Amino acid sequence: MRLSTAGVPSISFNRPVVGKVSRELLPKGKRTQKILVTEEVPTNTAELIGYSGLLTTTDFQQQMELVPTISSVQSIDHLRTNDIIAMEPKNGFVRTLYRPDSNHNVIFATQRCNSNCLMCSQPPQDRDDADALVRRNLQLIRLIESPPKRLVITGGEPTLLGEGLFTIIAALRDKFPQTYLHMLTNGRIFAWPAFTARLAELKHPDFMLGIPLYSDDSTVHDYVVQAQGAFDQTVIGFHQLARYGIRIEIRVVLHAITILRLTQLAEYIYRNLTFAEHIALMGLENIGYAPRNMDRLWIDPHDYQDQLESAVEILSTRGMNVSIYNHQLCVLRRSLWKFARKSISDWKNIYLDACQPCGVKNDCGGFFKWATKLHSNHIHPLPAARTPVSAE
Amino acid sequence: MARVFYPVESYSASEAGYRLLPFRFLRLESNKELLVNQVGEFVVAPFGTAQALIRKQLTRGSDIYATFKAKQFIADDSSSPLLDLLATKYRTKYGFIEGFTKLHIFVVTLRCDHSCHYCQVSRQTADKSTYDMSYETAGKSVELMMKSPARHVTLEFQGGEPLLAFDVIRYIVPLAKRRAEALGKDLDIVVTTNLANATDDMLFYLRDENIKISTSLDGPAFIHNANRPRPGNNSYELTIKNIERARKILGYSKVAALMTTTQLSLQHPTEIIDEYVRLDFHSIFLRPLSPYGFAVKTKKKTGYQLDNFLNFYRTGLAHILQLNRAGYNLAEVYAKILLTKILTPDGTGFVDLQSPAGAGINVLVYNYDGDVYATDESRMLAEMGDHTFRLGNVWTHSHKDIFTGDPFLNLVSASCNQSLTGCSDCALQPYCGADPIYNHTTQGDIFGHRPTSNFCKRNMTIIKYLFDLISKQDSELMRIFFAWIQNSSLSEVSKAGPS
């Protein structure tokens, strides 16, 4: 599944457009904030008046001044009626921002980040996109009609938006108070009490932060996120957040560096961050920075089952809620199956050819689509489970 | 854009070395050392580790170095020492002090139908007027109890046999409930009773008022009846029958049992434990005999050597663990309290093993005659003529008088093991307690003398034994321990959470 495409922007198109996909010609009164996505453009372009934008696969040479247009688009098959998309005038990019039928929608806050993790799946860009993205996201929120079950705010580092972030959260709170809102952040900024207090003031009714902690050793954590002092800030941040009762999930990406003290980290989390509501132990994604640092990151998940099992045992016996993300059942030790979740977002979730005959495929989270290049050497089909996997 | 990645050395401490944060240590058997920080986090390491640590000989980048740094034994310039975090953990450990006195024991009568050897206070008489609490004293006691700043208070009826003064209980319960409600306090009520005189009507009353029962069960008939004589020598049979009846009326979870250990019990840990299992109890408290009151006088009958008790405890605990491994959930309460202190970030407000000591701070005893004592043991001492720990009387002393009076101030001067000689530098200090009343009773001095203290020897032996068990790296054993700590069952512990 794809979430972006590109084409040739028309010359007069100069400001980004956010709108809803419309796959057929609508009556004039119903075209506000709609983007017509079509293979065949009517010969009389005046018939398009009222649309916020036009996307077409055809090579549309003529000057199009009536409607912002991107023509010669590579692919429009993935765009469904009422998907919310953004058209970029500069480069002709078309991004899918929201799919009403998906449970994996995100609010992309910014590309900037104050960390530089060795395995970042979405490497930061040092460009000031804050204002533009805040505007785009507020527009997106206005366009979403029925309340989503859940939304994820991600980046980059969303907290770098400062007040803009609070505006976005407040808009979501006011429009969709029932929507569970999860924000992925490195948590460093919450070491500053005023910032945390400001977040707490928003009183979003169903809000949780997902914050990574990679080691109980500050040196190792700082090394992984490539930022001196990050460990201290994150740990202080956790406690500032806990003071306000803001819910926290701890995320640990498992790789050759973090696996070394994983059991000690589990004990550290229990002793120091007991208030964490959820701990996610996550498989490495082979994308972004990860491939270029793979020589120091790679360990076959098959080879860290001892450490993983012991960390899960430490946390779960102590009453902490722990899950394993991004792992395949054929690589996980049987005792860990009940902690495994199907965690990979629909648009980047695949199975390998080896999975076709597998009897527990439906219970397995599968792979990221970029795992075709690199995955465990121990992937193999399994017989069907006699008891449901979740009841293991 | 091209970003640069820096090597791990860029993030480690400089050559400047490390600083020590407060910790204590102790040598264990088998060439091991136990090092414990301010908040009870520990490291079991090979002999010599403490010396290397203190001499600043640990190498940067080594596993043990990282562990000591993460557990806040040391700090270096790679990271802030996170002292606020340590302070938060310290506050959590001592959270049990918050709210001050929570347990309020009302001795509504001294009368009893039993004449147990180890009991300090009971009277065999039908005369209600002399040894029952008067309604007026009861009213005054409730008033004083409700002065406690605690938001959650527990009222425990004791005796004698409190059900013999049921009218006093019926007088106090609605009064206490009204006052608690007016003050916005949560109130739990417990009655400690041998159940021998419990009528169905009484049990229905307890059920309707949501009052829990704590009863005495010393083991199988030959032990129980020997320990707890009463006319007819049928205490055991009555107890069994009445536990069943009370469970039927009040509900299974409302009836708990406590055992008292005697010289006779010491020979039979397994039989006592099996009796608890037979009666479907899921916790048992292998309690040492307290050195008070008549129990001291009748030492020939009930007294025993500490070593015998420790053997009894070890055999009993081993048997209990075996039962758990075989699938029967049974917690040993003393171990559970210690394990909570050792293995969790929380403290426990168990009045007999805490620092500051529970006396007065976590528990007050309101005697039938209006006298207020620091603990149940204090009023037993008073029955023997020693009034050191009588803190006042509900008729003459206000809450302020009691807690600023000499007896209380004298008591608290010896209540913190953090500042007691022999305790203050003991690695086990965060897990142990202080007991000035025990010290006074057994050594004639509230501060006590650790090298000859049985309190010290008993707790050190048991705590070290628990560390032996913890160090075995036996994951089933740890699951059993955490099941106890969480009041859960072995099958519930380590369940996956909701997805």
Side-chain angles (χ1 to χ4, degrees), chain A residues 144-163:
Chain A
I144 300 173
E145 274 169 46
S146 45
K149 240 176 85 184
R150 63 193 296 270
L151 274 177
V152 176
I153 301 180
T154 184
E157 173 49 43
T159 59
L160 295 183
L161 293 184
E163 271 304 311

Side-chain angles (χ1 to χ4, degrees), chain B residues 248-435:
Chain B
K248 270 206 189 86
I249 295 177
L250 279 85
Y252 170 86
S253 66
K254 304 288 171 147
V255 184
L258 265 183
M259 63 154 297
T260 302
T261 312
T262 62
Q263 186 73 50
L264 176 60
S265 321
L266 290 181
Q267 318 304 318
H268 305 285
T270 313
E271 289 88 336
I272 295 171
I273 291 160
D274 289 346
E275 180 68 16
Y276 271 67
V277 173
R278 201 179 67 77
L279 291 173
D280 198 27
F281 283 107
H282 291 278
S283 83
I284 185 168
F285 194 164
L286 301 179
R287 287 197 302 172
L289 175 61
S290 59
Y292 305 102
F294 295 164
V296 175
K297 284 190 196 162
T298 59
K299 206 169 180 176
K300 285 208 179 75
K301 215 162 188 173
T302 52
Y304 53 85
Q305 297 297 308
L306 177 61
D307 286 343
N308 292 341
F309 171 75
L310 291 170
N311 284 335
F312 163 83
Y313 186 82
R314 258 191 295 256
T315 313
L317 191 61
H319 183 54
I320 290 169
L321 290 173
Q322 217 166 24
L323 288 164
N324 280 277
R325 288 184 201 272
Y328 186 86
N329 298 302
L330 179 67
E332 198 285 304
V333 178
Y334 204 68
K336 170 186 161 176
I337 289 162
L338 286 166
L339 291 166
T340 303
K341 292 165 176 247
I342 296 169
L343 296 174
T344 84
D346 298 318
T348 61
F350 174 59
V351 296
D352 290 344
L353 193 72
Q354 63 176 64
S355 176
I361 290 175
N362 262 22
V363 57
L364 269 190
V365 179
Y366 306 75
N367 209 4
Y368 71 100
D369 56 4
D371 279 349
V372 178
Y373 292 99
T375 57
D376 207 26
E377 290 76 16
S378 314
R379 64 136 176 159
M380 294 172 181
L381 273 184
E383 288 295 330
M384 300 175 63
D386 179 346
H387 297 276
T388 312
F389 304 110
R390 195 188 80 106
L391 304 182
N393 186 288
V394 295
W395 287 99
T396 52
H397 290 69
S398 68
H399 189 263
K400 184 179 152 195
D401 293 339
I402 285 172
F403 287 108
T404 56
D406 284 343
F408 180 73
L409 295 181
N410 180 45
L411 178 66
V412 292
S413 68
S415 281
C416 293
N417 68 5
Q418 289 87 343
S419 59
L420 290 179
T421 311
C423 297
S424 64
D425 51 5
C426 174
L428 307 183
Q429 177 276 325
Y431 312 128
C432 200
D435 197 340

Side-chain angles (χ1 to χ4, degrees), chain B residues 30-85:
Chain B
S30 63
N31 261 336
K32 291 271 170 63
E33 281 172 354
L34 173 68
L35 300 98
V36 183
N37 75 1
Q38 281 288 79
V39 294
E41 290 167 271
F42 62 89
V43 175
V44 177
F47 180 69
T49 307
Q51 192 178 72
L53 175 65
I54 292 159
R55 291 188 173 163
K56 314 268 176 86
Q57 290 163 346
L58 297 186
T59 356
R60 271 183 309 165
S62 68
D63 244 356
I64 191 80
Y65 185 100
T67 295
F68 281 125
K69 191 174 72 164
K71 294 194 178 185
Q72 298 190 285
F73 285 71
I74 61 172
D76 63 30
D77 58 9
S78 70
S79 160
S80 121
L82 294 174
L83 294 181
D84 283 353
L85 174 66

Side-chain angles (χ1 to χ4, degrees), chain A residues 226 232 271-272 313 317, chain B residues 6 80 89 342 479 486:
Chain A
Q226 293 280 301
D232 295 352
R271 283 285 191 165
N272 294 277
E313 172 84 13
T317 52
Chain B
Y6 299 94
S80 121
K89 289 193 279 188
I342 296 169
R479 255 179 262 159
Q486 294 161 23

